[in-house]
Amino acid sequence: MNTDSLVSVLVDLIRRASTSLPEDVLAALQAAALAEPPDSSARQILQTLNDNAALACNRTVPACQDTGTPAFWFDLPDGTPTLPIREAVRTAMIRATEQGLLRLNVIHVPSGKQEPTNFAPGSPVLHFRFGPADTEPRVSLLLKGGGSENQSRQYSLPDASLHAGRDLDGVRKCVLDAVWKAQGNGCAPGILGVCMGGERVGAYACAKEQLLRPLTDVHPDPELAALEQRIFSEANTLGIGPMGLGGRTTLLGVKIGTLPRVPASFFVTIAYNCWACRRATASLPLS
């Protein structure tokens, strides 16, 4: 395993995620701006977000001052050693911080002291997924800001307060309630990753993983594809709009995943992401 090459790939991955929004997100922002009335605050805000994204990309600076919590997903052939990858991540985090691609975003608890390397036990978040020997080694990175993380929620069905049962309509009611409670907090328009089922910890990881999906993809399960579209359409009739100041664009996308559950539990978990869905993917030079 060529450690220097691996570190270079990871630094470049962080740079792309921090400074350049994915094409599908940029297209959604541009379409959303055109869908708002010409003289509305909603269009002005969305145009500003588009301008911000272009400046960040052109100047190679972070798209948001909160560079978020980095979460890496590694897809690897079974038996791949992870220690060299962990060490490469550590080195890449330090270099990316020195280059201004990441701000000092790791705060020790309970001391409140900043970690100058942006690397500490539990940060960044590393997920390792192993497959057959012919699995292409790849890594995906999501930088998720604290403001949007604060709007993530978890529900337990049935929920009498929402008249939500253990069915797809109950899931819909939970997700729309989460959007309504967020209002403009979390820097709307938002992108939602949702997990149906699972246990509490794994469900949050599954929900966040849905944010790696392109906004343009269609869920292979027709029922879930229809549910994603219905929630997306209904959320955009709530009038919350960009930054909560009103408008037709409250969400840019909804992506739903599922996990098995035990009979006693039915969780609906929502990972709320801001408009700046900072994700990137790269192949890994492991040979």
Side-chain angles (χ1 to χ4, degrees), residues 20-116:
S20 303
L21 294 188
E23 290 298 324
D24 59 297
V25 177
L26 290 172
L29 284 169
Q30 292 162 2
L34 294 176
E36 300 286 355
D39 297 324
S40 65
S41 62
R43 177 175 282 202
Q44 292 174 1
I45 292 169
L46 290 166
Q47 287 176 335
T48 300
L49 299 183
N50 278 295
D51 292 343
N52 180 97
L55 283 170
C57 181
N58 292 336
R59 298 183 181 182
T60 319
V61 296
C64 177
Q65 54 88 20
D66 178 4
T67 54
T69 298
F72 293 86
W73 282 263
F74 290 93
D75 292 293
L76 304 168
D78 194 27
T80 303
T82 62
L83 184 57
I85 295 174
R86 295 174 191 270
E87 288 300 316
V89 170
R90 180 179 183 275
T91 302
M93 291 289 292
I94 294 171
R95 290 186 185 175
T97 301
E98 292 172 346
Q99 294 175 20
L101 300 171
L102 299 172
R103 77 173 180 185
L104 296 184
N105 234 24
V106 176
I107 309 297
H108 288 281
V109 178
S111 70
K113 294 180 180 179
Q114 286 182 319
E115 170 53 59

Side-chain angles (χ1 to χ4, degrees), residues 44-258:
Q44 292 174 1
I45 292 169
L46 290 166
Q47 287 176 335
T48 300
L49 299 183
N50 278 295
D51 292 343
N52 180 97
L55 283 170
C57 181
N58 292 336
R59 298 183 181 182
T60 319
V61 296
C64 177
Q65 54 88 20
D66 178 4
T67 54
T69 298
F72 293 86
W73 282 263
F74 290 93
D75 292 293
L76 304 168
D78 194 27
T80 303
T82 62
L83 184 57
I85 295 174
R86 295 174 191 270
E87 288 300 316
V89 170
R90 180 179 183 275
T91 302
M93 291 289 292
I94 294 171
R95 290 186 185 175
T97 301
E98 292 172 346
Q99 294 175 20
L101 300 171
L102 299 172
R103 77 173 180 185
L104 296 184
N105 234 24
V106 176
I107 309 297
H108 288 281
V109 178
S111 70
K113 294 180 180 179
Q114 286 182 319
E115 170 53 59
T117 66
N118 262 331
F119 190 92
S123 181
V125 180
L126 304 180
H127 301 278
F128 293 97
R129 304 182 292 200
F130 295 94
D134 60 353
T135 299
E136 180 188 0
R138 295 185 65 80
V139 58
S140 296
L141 170 62
L142 178 72
L143 301 178
K144 192 169 186 297
S148 67
E149 188 76 349
N150 291 343
Q151 301 309 314
S152 296
R153 299 180 185 273
Q154 190 170 71
Y155 297 79
S156 180
L157 293 177
D159 188 319
S161 68
L162 299 177
H163 304 287
R166 290 184 163 188
D167 52 25
L168 294 185
D169 191 59
V171 172
R172 179 185 68 85
K173 290 176 179 177
C174 291
V175 178
L176 289 174
D177 182 70
V179 174
W180 181 254
K181 286 177 177 174
Q183 292 291 311
N185 294 319
C187 293
I191 299 170
L192 306 185
V194 180
C195 178
M196 296 166 44
E199 45 78 40
R200 287 192 183 273
V201 176
Y204 268 116
C206 173
K208 188 172 288 188
E209 186 177 355
Q210 304 312 305
L211 297 170
L212 298 177
R213 291 171 51 192
L215 297 180
T216 52
D217 78 354
V218 177
H219 201 290
D221 184 318
E223 279 194 303
L224 295 185
L227 182 61
E228 288 178 345
Q229 185 57 47
R230 182 177 179 186
I231 293 172
F232 174 72
S233 298
E234 291 183 352
N236 284 331
T237 66
L238 295 176
I240 296 169
M243 304 301 165
L245 298 178
R248 301 169 180 169
T249 312
T250 297
L251 295 181
L252 295 177
V254 179
K255 301 299 175 182
I256 300 175
T258 66

